[in-house]
Amino acid sequence: METLLDVRNVSLSYHTAEGETQALSNISFQVKKGEFLAIVGPSGCGKSTLLDLICGLLTPESGSIILSGFQKGKDRAEIGYMLQKDHLLEWRTVYQNVILGLEIRHQLTQERKAYVNHLLALYGLDKFRKSHPSQLSGGMRQRAALIRTLALQPDLLLLDEPFSALDYQTRLNVSDDIGKIIKREAKTAILVTHDISEAISMADRVLILSKRPAVVKDLVNIHFSLTNRTPLESRNAPEFKNYFNLIWKELNDHDTSLEGTNPVSEKEKA
Ligand code: ADP
């Protein structure tokens, strides 16, 4: 598989009036086209900083970040961002929300409109196109937010804790739903999460970061003996517990400040 993203020896420190905070130290990894990578690490270790570097909001102090192998005809890779809050605008209908990015970029062509309509129909939002966000369930809102991002046909999707505002039950269903859509659309994605179970259930590989300044502790390949792997089914696969224990151990190794060692994960560990 072709490499889409190559992060090489990246370091970054924040400089403020209070002094210097080294966030990332010598981080290297690659993401292949169509791959789903999850990044886990303690709170404040630099996960969001890494996403900000990848999308170009920040520049590495040293090292390089190379995005290549993106869609032909473009001069740079298109990056889509999905955040904890869906940021849907209540005064716009679902349809007006999902075309917002295209409108802003003056890319609302017939072809793009047809693609949006295809996504709305395929993912069950067609009959809600004239509804407003408050009329949708939490899961449907996230789906609308994803379609708004997919409408821009991104080469790389960055997901920064997109499910953490949802309750446990909804979170399981929405992550299953969003994970299936991303795979079906063959998108390359990077998910930042503090939930080990979520990372294992959704990702092809899990990158484990140490506490700040973050270094790469491990990169774990996730493989399940399932014919039709979905995030929900993965949680019941026999291999799941082993991956959980491995990542749990790595995160807790010399590290007591772990975020996300929550009852959810404990439940699944048992
Ligand atoms: P994570 O996403 O893993 O919780 P962040 O990337 O948000 O971690 O932050 C990494 C570290 O850098 C933290 O200690 C945070 O306080 C610090 N930091 C983040 N943004 C800034 C900033 N703009 N200025 C100064 N320090 C920052």
Side-chain angles (χ1 to χ4, degrees):
M1 253 194 300
E2 202 178 342
T3 299
L4 178 70
L5 173 71
D6 190 2
V7 176
R8 237 179 248 186
N9 307 116
V10 165
S11 299
L12 185 115
S13 299
Y14 289 103
H15 302 272
T16 61
E18 286 75 43
E20 180 181 308
T21 307
Q22 196 186 359
L24 303 170
S25 171
N26 213 24
I27 302 284
S28 296
F29 65 93
Q30 293 185 330
V31 182
K32 298 210 178 300
K33 236 176 165 174
E35 189 181 24
F36 196 123
L37 178 84
I39 301 176
V40 296
S43 178
C45 77
K47 301 183 291 297
S48 301
T49 301
L50 193 49
L51 291 192
D52 286 348
L53 282 161
I54 292 168
C55 74
L57 283 173
L58 292 171
T59 311
E61 231 166 28
S62 58
S64 63
I65 296 180
I66 296 168
L67 267 156
S68 53
F70 44 85
Q71 288 169 52
K72 287 190 175 61
K74 290 186 185 172
D75 54 359
R76 61 178 177 87
E78 189 79 59
I79 296 179
Y81 230 114
M82 221 178 139
L83 304 162
Q84 199 183 98
K85 278 195 74 184
D86 55 50
H87 295 290
L88 294 173
L89 302 172
E90 183 53 29
W91 48 273
R92 287 191 149 228
T93 63
V94 167
Y95 180 72
Q96 289 168 338
N97 266 288
V98 296
I99 61 165
L100 182 64
L102 292 173
E103 246 178 46
I104 291 170
R105 291 173 179 215
H106 305 290
Q107 290 175 354
L108 200 54
T109 59
Q110 287 307 323
E111 193 190 329
R112 292 290 176 110
K113 277 191 205 165
Y115 181 55
V116 166
N117 287 329
H118 160 77
L119 292 173
L120 288 171
L122 188 61
Y123 300 120
L125 283 179
D126 199 33
K127 55 181 184 289
F128 297 98
R129 54 195 297 133
K130 290 189 179 145
S131 305
H132 287 266
S134 61
Q135 296 170 281
L136 303 183
S137 67
M140 282 157 73
R141 289 182 69 115
Q142 281 293 19
R143 216 187 289 176
L146 179 61
I147 292 174
R148 183 188 54 198
T149 307
L150 292 177
L152 298 165
Q153 302 189 341
D155 301 284
L156 177 63
L157 273 173
L158 302 180
L159 304 120
D160 196 354
E161 301 267 9
F163 316 119
S164 52
L166 305 169
D167 64 80
Y168 178 59
Q169 202 63 36
T170 310
R171 187 177 177 139
L172 285 188
N173 289 323
V174 174
S175 60
D176 188 55
D177 190 40
I178 298 294
K180 283 196 268 195
I181 296 174
I182 290 172
K183 275 289 165 202
R184 185 168 175 161
E185 297 299 319
K187 289 291 165 196
T188 312
I190 300 179
L191 166 76
V192 157
T193 179
H194 64 265
D195 187 326
I196 303 173
S197 301
E198 190 170 276
I200 300 166
S201 70
M202 296 188 79
D204 301 310
R205 287 191 301 157
V206 178
L207 181 80
I208 306 171
L209 296 179
S210 71
K211 66 180 175 188
R212 191 172 60 76
V215 296
V216 174
K217 284 195 94 171
D218 204 355
L219 193 49
V220 182
N221 284 311
I222 308 289
H223 179 75
F224 292 111
S225 47
L226 293 168
T227 38
N228 270 325
R229 182 186 165 186
T230 65
L232 264 186
E233 277 180 32
S234 302
R235 290 175 184 256
N236 293 320
E239 300 94 342
F240 189 89
K241 211 159 97 178
N242 296 338
Y243 287 129
F244 188 97
N245 289 338
L246 172 77
I247 296 171
W248 172 278
K249 210 162 158 261
E250 298 233 26
L251 280 168
N252 282 286
D253 201 16
H254 311 299
D255 197 343
T256 51
S257 62
L258 178 65
E259 170 194 48
T261 51
N262 49 30
V264 172
S265 308
E266 280 296 329
K267 229 189 294 173
E268 274 160 5
K269 217 180 149 195

